[in-house]
Amino acid sequence: MATSIHRLLTAAVVLGTAALISTYSFHNCIETSKDGQRKAFQCVHRHNKTMSAFVDDLPTTTINLTIGVTPVTHIPRDSFVSLPHLQDLRLDRNNLSDIDYLAFHELHELKSLNLSLNNISQLNPDVFQDLSNLTFLSLTNNQLKQLPETIFSTVLELNTLIMRQNLLTNFSAIATSVSHLRNLRILDLCINNLTSLTHTEVTLPKSLTTLYVCRNNLLTLGCKWSFLASIQVLDLSYNPHLPTKAFAGVDLGNINYLRLRSTNVQIVEFLNLSNIRPEHIDFSGTGINNTDKLKDLCKTMQRKKVKYLNKLILGNNGIKTLSNYTLSQCPNIITLDLSRNEFKPTNCLSFLTGQTHIQSFHAEHNVIRSLPSCKVPNMVQFSNLRDLSYRYNRILLVNKYAFYHTPNLQTLKLNINTIAYLDNLALKNLKRLETLRLDNNLLTDLFAKTFEDLSNLKLLNLRNNRISVIFNRTFHSLGKLTTLDLGGNKITHFQPAGFDGLKNLSKLYLDGNNLKEIDPSHYFVFQDRLTVLDLENNQIQFHPGSPRSPFRNLSKLRDLKLSRQQPYGIAVLPDTLFQGLHSLRSLYLTDNKIVHIYPKTFDDLTGLQFLTLDDCCAGVTQLQPGVFKNLRNLTKLTVENMGMQNFSKDVFGNLTQLRTLQLNRNVMQSIPVDALESLPNLQYLDIRDIPLSCTCLNRLLQNYTLTNPRIQVVYLSTLPCLHDVTQKFYKFDGTVCFIDLGEYLFFCTAAVIFLFTVIPLLYVKLYWKMKYSYYVFCAWFSDQWRSLRDEKEKCKYDAFVSYNSSDEQWVMEQLLPNLEGNGSSFKLCLHHRDFELGRAIVDNIVSAVYSSRKTICVVSRSFLQSEWCSLEMQLASYRLFDEHRDVLLLVFLEKISDRQLSSYHRMRKVMLKKTYVQWPGSDCTDQEQAQDLFWNQLRRAMRTGSRLEREEMDQSAAPSKV
Ligand SMILES: *[C@@H]1O[C@H](CO)[C@@H](O)[C@H](O)[C@H]1NC(C)=O
Ligand SMILES: *[C@@H]1O[C@H](CO)[C@@H](O)[C@H](O)[C@H]1NC(C)=O
Ligand SMILES: *[C@@H]1O[C@H](CO)[C@@H](O)[C@H](O)[C@H]1NC(C)=O
Ligand SMILES: *[C@@H]1O[C@H](CO)[C@@H](O)[C@H](O)[C@H]1NC(C)=O
């Protein structure tokens, strides 16, 4: 956003100008608001201890603010006065214990305040003073023992007050403090130490309709007749000592939902004593554990003239069986919930005989083991039942006609069981079924008959079973199916007509299977309809140069997931793969060890909005210019840890709609400003964990990130310098880059003249002394050197090979066989083969260079042009010059004249110090012999581990040399 010049970086004495520089980056927060949304900031998982570190650099227009998972303990007075427009403030999950008087001073617009999960044990009476618009306050999970009586005196708009999980004991005091809140609707006091609801002269606000007092230690209610008269939802569960008689003399006439689970209340007695309507009680955990007690309950309800039971909830009662006709005396049940009992046989729901109105039956978390056949003469039919759930049972078998008595089911949930046998005819008759959940079972085979009757099915979930083959015609009658989830199975292939009949399928999930290839003929049935195709985590590989895309007829496809192919990744990504996918909106390719991304690969994806290539590639990746040229609609691109060595306008310059770019964990040392400037809509740039060098190379970048008002650079102030992590990128001193040339020349000339005058003088006076010292030093040095070298180095590899991708063929066909095979057994480290997956590429390079005895550089013209400045070269020559470790071996693939070399200053320096070997080109006469000689030299150089004398190499008649 162009208007958001927010932060005054105090430490900005950059460039020697003392001016304060404004930047679009925040010390501890990330702006998360999108276009047109409210200004929102997230400040989570940071290590600063003071509130001001989070708040100081935020703009005054901030509306949403979350500060969480930080070690902040104290909110000082006036902490947020600079953010007067805050509406939503989340301070949950910190270590707050100390909140000062007027900590929230001047937050007149604040609507929601979340102080959950802190360490607050007391609050100042005036702490919420200015929050006159607050509607939501959560103090969940703190250490509050009591509250000041006047604490809520000014927050008159409060609607929801949550004080769960504290140590509150005095209900009277709480009632007094909220009694004047005329807008309060919800009060949550669960998990405290209340022993009664006794109160003094006060009444609860009339607006209060929901009161939770679960998990306290209530021994009685002790309140006046009308105290709870306005309450509609009351939760008194888990007060194990609360007796039935506590309810005598309390008006519960308005209640429409009451929970009494795990109290000492006797239900039938309670119904006789209270004015509550029985249909409004949740009977879970009230000890109604057998047929007789249930029949008793039903009779009581009949007596109280209840006509309909919208919901009869009987969970957690330890019910094991129910005999036939158990519920026939009950009022008409619409929904019955028997979840979390020990219910075993369903007997085709015969206990429900007489309940013909029932629409929904749930028996989740029970111990049902099988579903019997229900096609028996005179079987009771439940033709109103629409919704049936047996989730979380132990069902192993589903017999034929298991649902014959419930022909009008629309939703059937059999998921999370152990179904190994689903009879071919089990689902017979379910012609109206729309949703079928069979996920998380042990199914191995599906047959053409299994789903034959389900002609209205819209959603079929078969995730996490053990299906290995999809047979012909399995889904042939599912013409209305829109979503098919086959993820997490063991599918290796589909028979040719496996998908036939799925005329309306739009979402297909096949992730987590064992598919090895994509056979385009299968996907023909979906053309023009499929919108989501998930193929993540299979074993798919593509054949290079396959002429046409397997997805070519999926013209409506919007989401395509191809991440994490096992075990070696996709590796080859044909440039035709995404042809024709003009509607694709998101594409996932992470974790795939892709070797090369062709420039044409993404050409057809003109509608793409989101692309992720995180960890996509094998080792170091070079994106080709123009690879993203047609992605004109891309708004978010994540390319984390893909081993990118440079960021250029040629590659990224066409992404005109790009708003979010995540570049973290790549290996470029600089980012050209013109490339950033060519992204006109970029708003969010994440360059954490990139080895940015604090050199003149990045001078402009530093200035840009500090002065641009448009691109938020995430946590800019914490980005370190490559060569010295204690230095920060944003304040490295770039003044030298701009030194006046005249001044520079003056100092140089002065220094030279000085040296020319002084050295001859010294030479004459001290000649012998100097010569002597020199020899002493040399002796000492070579001593040190040898002892250093002789320490048996623990190296994993004999050599790390650094090369340009254009020389890959030579490396693979010549170097590798000759050094790893062919009689010598050197162990080479190649980036695409040996880099550890998932690890940051920088780490991989550093550890490769340091855990290899040598670094072989394969020098060619393209190498010089592109990689001479690469990280591995720098590291290896650093070891040569600074650590005096002789690790570099240069192999010249082409003849490169002195003149061409002259611009590579550091290379010449290495060559003067070092031997190098020249690959005999094709113009050489005795080519074979020359090559043999070459390999011998190279092996010897690797084996000795020491410096080979230049002369020695010369004598061995190197075929040709620079
Ligand atoms: C308040 O914080 C708690 C704890 O992190 C969280 O679970 C809850 O969703 C938050 N509520 C709101 C409304 O922000
Ligand atoms: C509970 O609070 C009320 C009103 O604030 C007070 O009168 C009473 O003494 C308190 N009871 C206890 C046990 O502290
Ligand atoms: C797939 O699409 C191409 C053109 O986009 C068309 O020529 C071909 O017939 C289609 N294939 C099928 C099986 O429909
Ligand atoms: C730094 O950036 C500002 C604003 O983009 C520009 O005006 C100024 O010239 C830049 N300074 C240098 C030294 O590039």
Side-chain angles (χ1 to χ4, degrees):
M1 255 143 286
T3 52
S4 28
I5 305 176
H6 313 300
R7 212 187 82 212
L8 297 181
L9 249 184
T10 36
V13 198
V14 186
L15 261 184
T17 64
L20 293 178
I21 293 177
S22 51
T23 172
Y24 186 3
S25 173
F26 309 93
H27 280 303
N28 286 301
C29 301
I30 296 178
E31 178 168 359
T32 57
S33 30
K34 310 218 164 59
D35 267 350
Q37 277 188 356
R38 317 191 310 166
K39 268 222 168 296
F41 288 86
Q42 290 270 346
C43 325
V44 290
H45 292 284
R46 306 297 291 167
H47 302 297
N48 286 63
K49 292 206 168 85
T50 60
M51 206 53 164
S52 56
F54 291 89
V55 175
D56 280 358
D57 58 357
L58 300 181
T60 54
T61 47
T62 306
I63 288 179
N64 285 20
L65 175 60
T66 301
I67 299 176
V69 203
T70 71
V72 178
T73 57
H74 177 205
I75 312 183
R77 186 186 159 148
D78 293 338
S79 277
F80 304 99
V81 282
S82 60
L83 309 175
H85 302 297
L86 267 187
Q87 291 184 12
D88 190 348
L89 178 57
R90 285 190 59 171
L91 297 170
D92 48 299
R93 297 176 296 153
N94 291 295
N95 264 318
L96 299 173
S97 55
D98 205 358
I99 303 182
D100 281 4
Y101 162 72
L102 292 182
F104 305 109
H105 198 191
E106 289 185 13
L107 294 183
H108 297 288
E109 295 177 26
L110 197 69
K111 293 209 173 103
S112 169
L113 176 60
N114 195 340
L115 289 165
S116 304
L117 277 157
N118 281 295
N119 240 331
I120 305 166
S121 56
Q122 55 188 10
L123 285 170
N124 184 290
D126 293 322
V127 68
F128 301 133
Q129 207 185 55
D130 279 355
L131 309 183
S132 50
N133 269 310
L134 197 71
T135 57
F136 174 92
L137 173 62
S138 175
L139 287 161
T140 305
N141 213 329
N142 279 290
Q143 310 287 330
L144 292 167
K145 288 205 177 70
Q146 61 179 41
L147 291 172
E149 214 162 272
T150 57
I151 187 161
F152 303 123
S153 57
T154 55
V155 288
L156 297 174
E157 293 296 318
L158 202 62
N159 174 301
T160 303
L161 175 58
I162 307 185
M163 296 195 287
R164 286 173 86 94
Q165 222 162 339
N166 278 286
L167 305 168
L168 300 169
T169 52
N170 191 339
F171 179 78
S172 182
I174 298 166
T176 310
S177 62
V178 303
S179 59
H180 64 287
L181 296 177
R182 256 172 285 138
N183 291 301
L184 192 67
R185 283 182 42 240
I186 301 173
L187 177 59
D188 187 344
L189 296 168
C190 285
I191 323 185
N192 277 289
N193 292 335
L194 304 176
T195 52
S196 76
L197 302 187
T198 315
H199 51 94
T200 50
E201 286 308 306
V202 298
T203 56
L204 292 175
K206 286 269 173 305
S207 54
L208 188 72
T209 54
T210 303
L211 177 62
Y212 299 108
V213 204
C214 59
R215 293 179 199 266
N216 276 278
N217 196 17
L218 294 180
L219 302 172
T220 180
L221 294 185
C223 43
K224 302 203 173 110
W225 165 252
S226 60
F227 189 67
L228 299 175
S230 65
I231 305 288
Q232 293 171 11
V233 175
L234 180 60
D235 186 352
L236 294 171
S237 57
Y238 296 98
N239 284 287
H241 306 296
L242 185 67
T244 317
K245 63 177 195 305
F247 293 87
V250 181
D251 180 7
L252 299 178
N254 255 321
I255 299 269
N256 58 34
Y257 182 69
L258 172 66
R259 287 190 74 197
L260 288 171
R261 179 176 178 183
S262 296
T263 56
N264 204 6
V265 174
Q266 305 304 309
I267 284 298
V268 175
E269 201 183 319
F270 168 63
L271 287 180
N272 289 333
L273 161 156
S274 174
N275 66 341
I276 189 165
R277 294 297 297 165
E279 62 268 39
H280 295 148
I281 301 177
D282 176 345
F283 296 100
S284 293
T286 52
I288 301 171
N289 58 5
N290 59 35
T291 304
D292 289 342
K293 287 186 184 165
L294 199 47
K295 280 183 172 165
D296 251 13
L297 177 65
C298 289
K299 276 186 212 143
T300 314
M301 292 204 239
Q302 289 285 12
R303 225 180 314 120
K304 292 213 155 197
K305 307 219 161 37
V306 178
K307 282 251 159 46
Y308 281 95
L309 276 172
N310 262 329
K311 265 194 176 169
L312 178 56
I313 308 174
L314 287 165
N316 282 294
N317 277 319
I319 298 172
K320 291 200 168 69
T321 59
L322 290 175
S323 49
N324 295 355
Y325 299 100
T326 302
L327 295 169
S328 58
Q329 302 282 311
C330 257
N332 289 318
I333 301 170
I334 308 299
T335 295
L336 174 63
D337 191 345
L338 281 176
S339 297
R340 295 173 197 270
N341 282 292
E342 289 153 39
F343 198 60
K344 216 180 244 170
T346 59
N347 293 334
C348 298
L349 308 181
S350 55
F351 59 90
L352 274 172
T353 311
Q355 290 292 348
T356 51
H357 293 271
I358 189 158
Q359 291 178 8
S360 167
F361 174 58
H362 289 198
E364 303 176 358
H365 291 277
N366 278 290
V367 292
I368 301 170
R369 286 174 193 277
S370 71
L371 299 177
S373 171
C374 298
K375 190 185 184 188
V376 186
N378 302 326
M379 174 60 67
V380 204
Q381 294 263 326
F382 298 95
S383 51
N384 281 311
L385 197 65
R386 305 265 185 275
D387 171 19
L388 179 61
S389 174
Y390 291 133
R391 288 196 305 175
Y392 292 100
N393 275 283
R394 300 183 194 162
I395 302 173
L396 191 64
L397 312 174
V398 183
N399 287 299
K400 58 182 157 193
Y401 304 116
F403 305 98
Y404 215 72
H405 57 313
T406 55
N408 292 323
L409 279 186
Q410 289 173 357
T411 302
L412 174 60
K413 293 182 184 163
L414 296 171
N415 45 324
I416 322 183
N417 276 289
T418 52
I419 302 176
Y421 176 76
L422 177 71
D423 193 280
N424 266 343
L425 302 175
L427 305 169
K428 209 72 191 159
N429 218 17
L430 294 178
K431 296 210 170 63
R432 308 217 168 158
L433 200 63
E434 291 179 3
T435 300
L436 176 59
R437 300 281 307 262
L438 280 165
D439 43 299
N440 295 289
N441 279 296
L442 304 173
L443 294 172
T444 52
D445 296 297
L446 304 171
F447 301 99
K449 278 202 152 38
T450 312
F451 305 117
E452 198 166 39
D453 272 5
L454 312 185
S455 51
N456 270 304
L457 202 62
K458 299 208 169 94
L459 183 151
L460 174 58
N461 192 335
L462 288 161
R463 179 169 286 270
N464 297 340
N465 277 284
R466 304 197 172 167
I467 302 161
S468 55
V469 179
I470 300 293
F471 296 119
N472 283 339
R473 293 170 54 76
T474 304
F475 308 115
H476 71 278
S477 44
L478 304 185
K480 292 199 177 156
L481 200 69
T482 57
T483 304
L484 175 59
D485 189 343
L486 286 166
N489 279 287
K490 299 175 184 304
I491 301 174
T492 51
H493 71 282
F494 304 90
Q495 289 190 346
F499 286 133
D500 278 14
L502 295 171
K503 290 196 290 270
N504 272 302
L505 200 69
S506 101
K507 297 179 182 169
L508 176 60
Y509 300 89
L510 286 167
D511 48 303
N513 280 292
N514 297 335
L515 295 172
K516 291 209 160 47
E517 55 176 17
I518 299 179
D519 181 346
S521 62
H522 291 140
Y523 297 91
F524 281 168
V525 284
F526 306 130
Q527 51 179 318
D528 298 342
R529 283 179 310 274
L530 208 61
T531 58
V532 175
L533 178 58
D534 188 345
L535 289 164
E536 243 172 61
N537 196 9
N538 276 283
Q539 300 164 13
I540 297 170
Q541 302 247 310
F542 295 101
H543 302 293
S546 56
R548 299 168 75 198
S549 159
F551 308 119
R552 63 183 170 278
N553 288 66
L554 303 179
S555 57
K556 291 270 160 57
L557 201 63
R558 293 165 64 106
D559 288 0
L560 178 60
K561 299 190 179 175
L562 285 167
S563 306
R564 283 189 293 136
Q565 300 303 322
Q566 305 293 334
Y568 308 115
I570 286 184
V572 177
L573 195 66
D575 60 353
T576 52
L577 190 62
F578 304 119
Q579 260 173 17
L581 297 180
H582 294 284
S583 308
L584 204 66
R585 298 276 178 86
S586 26
L587 176 60
Y588 298 76
L589 282 170
T590 57
D591 261 334
N592 263 323
K593 283 211 163 192
I594 296 169
V595 178
H596 188 71
I597 297 179
Y598 296 97
K600 271 168 51 190
T601 310
F602 303 122
D603 276 8
D604 274 8
L605 305 182
T606 45
L608 203 66
Q609 294 174 357
F610 171 75
L611 172 63
T612 169
L613 293 168
D614 297 347
D615 287 303
C616 68
C617 297
V620 173
T621 317
Q622 199 116 41
L623 284 173
Q624 305 289 324
V627 63
F628 299 136
K629 63 179 173 297
N630 288 347
L631 305 187
R632 286 181 294 267
N633 286 307
L634 201 70
T635 54
K636 179 166 183 183
L637 175 63
T638 82
V639 287
E640 290 185 29
N641 198 31
M642 71 179 273
M644 251 192 296
Q645 286 192 323
N646 40 49
F647 179 85
S648 70
K649 198 172 162 177
D650 298 344
V651 176
F652 293 90
N654 307 74
L655 300 172
T656 47
Q657 289 301 317
L658 196 69
R659 298 212 197 109
T660 303
L661 177 58
Q662 307 225 154
L663 278 175
N664 331 16
R665 298 189 289 149
N666 278 296
V667 288
M668 63 279 259
Q669 293 176 26
S670 70
I671 295 177
V673 169
D674 66 330
L676 289 180
E677 281 175 336
S678 68
L679 301 171
N681 277 301
L682 195 66
Q683 293 172 359
Y684 180 99
L685 176 66
D686 195 341
I687 48 172
R688 283 177 284 175
D689 301 301
I690 286 181
L692 286 180
S693 66
C694 294
T695 58
C696 292
L697 203 57
N698 279 325
R699 240 326 271 137
L700 290 175
L701 179 68
Q702 186 198 47
N703 182 39
Y704 187 72
T705 52
L706 287 172
T707 54
N708 94 86
R710 176 169 66 87
I711 305 175
Q712 178 182 189
V713 184
V714 176
Y715 296 144
L716 176 64
S717 62
T718 59
L719 302 180
C721 292
L722 167 64
H723 295 290
D724 180 2
V725 287
T726 58
Q727 293 279 322
K728 296 294 174 231
F729 177 77
Y730 82 96
K731 56 178 180 187
F732 76 82
D733 183 4
T735 26
V736 288
C737 310
F738 298 100
I739 272 187
D740 186 313
L741 192 65
E743 206 177 321
Y744 185 70
L745 281 178
F746 168 77
F747 281 116
C748 288
T749 333
V752 169
I753 292 173
F754 175 77
L755 288 178
F756 271 105
T757 355
V758 173
I759 288 174
L761 264 172
L762 290 178
Y763 182 78
V764 172
K765 294 265 183 221
L766 301 172
Y767 176 74
W768 286 109
K769 203 163 193 156
M770 275 167 71
K771 192 157 183 172
Y772 172 74
S773 314
Y774 171 73
Y775 282 117
V776 170
F777 175 74
C778 285
W780 173 83
F781 181 75
S782 63
D783 232 26
Q784 291 291 317
W785 179 228
R786 209 168 295 123
S787 63
L788 250 177
R789 220 183 43 218
D790 292 346
E791 281 172 30
K792 198 75 190 150
E793 288 165 294
K794 291 194 195 80
C795 285
K796 223 163 109 191
Y797 300 103
D798 293 297
F800 169 54
V801 187
S802 165
Y803 60 92
N804 183 269
S805 52
S806 64
D807 304 324
E808 174 152 359
Q809 199 187 358
W810 183 84
V811 170
M812 301 308 292
E813 288 172 8
Q814 298 283 351
L815 186 73
L816 208 54
N818 273 297
L819 290 185
E820 285 204 337
N822 216 359
S824 34
S825 52
F826 291 112
K827 200 154 168 248
L828 299 185
C829 175
L830 300 182
H831 67 73
H832 68 270
R833 185 184 68 180
D834 298 307
F835 275 14
E836 232 173 275
L837 263 195
R839 196 169 167 197
I841 305 276
V842 196
D843 293 348
N844 261 326
I845 291 179
V846 173
S847 96
V849 171
Y850 278 85
S851 64
S852 304
R853 283 198 301 112
K854 297 274 174 184
T855 296
I856 299 182
C857 293
V858 181
V859 184
S860 62
R861 276 189 196 90
S862 32
F863 180 86
L864 285 175
Q865 268 154 26
S866 73
E867 325 234 352
W868 175 240
C869 291
S870 69
L871 189 64
E872 54 261 47
M873 287 302 308
Q874 298 227 358
L875 281 171
S877 54
Y878 170 76
R879 290 187 79 186
L880 176 67
F881 291 121
D882 298 335
E883 284 183 18
H884 303 292
R885 297 219 150 193
D886 188 8
V887 295
L888 205 51
L889 271 176
L890 299 179
V891 172
F892 278 79
L893 272 196
E894 306 166 83
K895 282 189 191 164
I896 299 170
S897 69
D898 253 335
R899 198 171 47 78
Q900 280 169 312
L901 260 181
S902 59
S903 50
Y904 304 98
H905 169 72
R906 204 169 162 95
M907 169 71 88
R908 278 170 62 86
K909 196 166 150 203
V910 175
M911 285 175 61
L912 285 177
K913 223 173 148 83
K914 284 286 308 163
T915 43
Y916 49 91
V917 214
Q918 172 79 47
W919 172 247
S922 46
D923 53 340
C924 184
T925 38
D926 280 329
Q927 214 193 343
E928 226 173 89
Q929 209 188 338
Q931 288 189 2
D932 277 349
L933 194 58
F934 169 85
W935 293 120
N936 273 330
Q937 284 171 353
L938 189 59
R939 286 190 204 114
R940 194 144 48 99
M942 285 182 63
R943 215 171 282 127
T944 52
S946 62
R947 184 194 296 199
L948 284 182
E949 293 308 321
R950 195 187 169 95
E951 301 85 282
E952 191 188 337
M953 296 282 283
D954 275 334
Q955 280 157 18
S956 54
S960 56
K961 198 162 246 190
V962 183

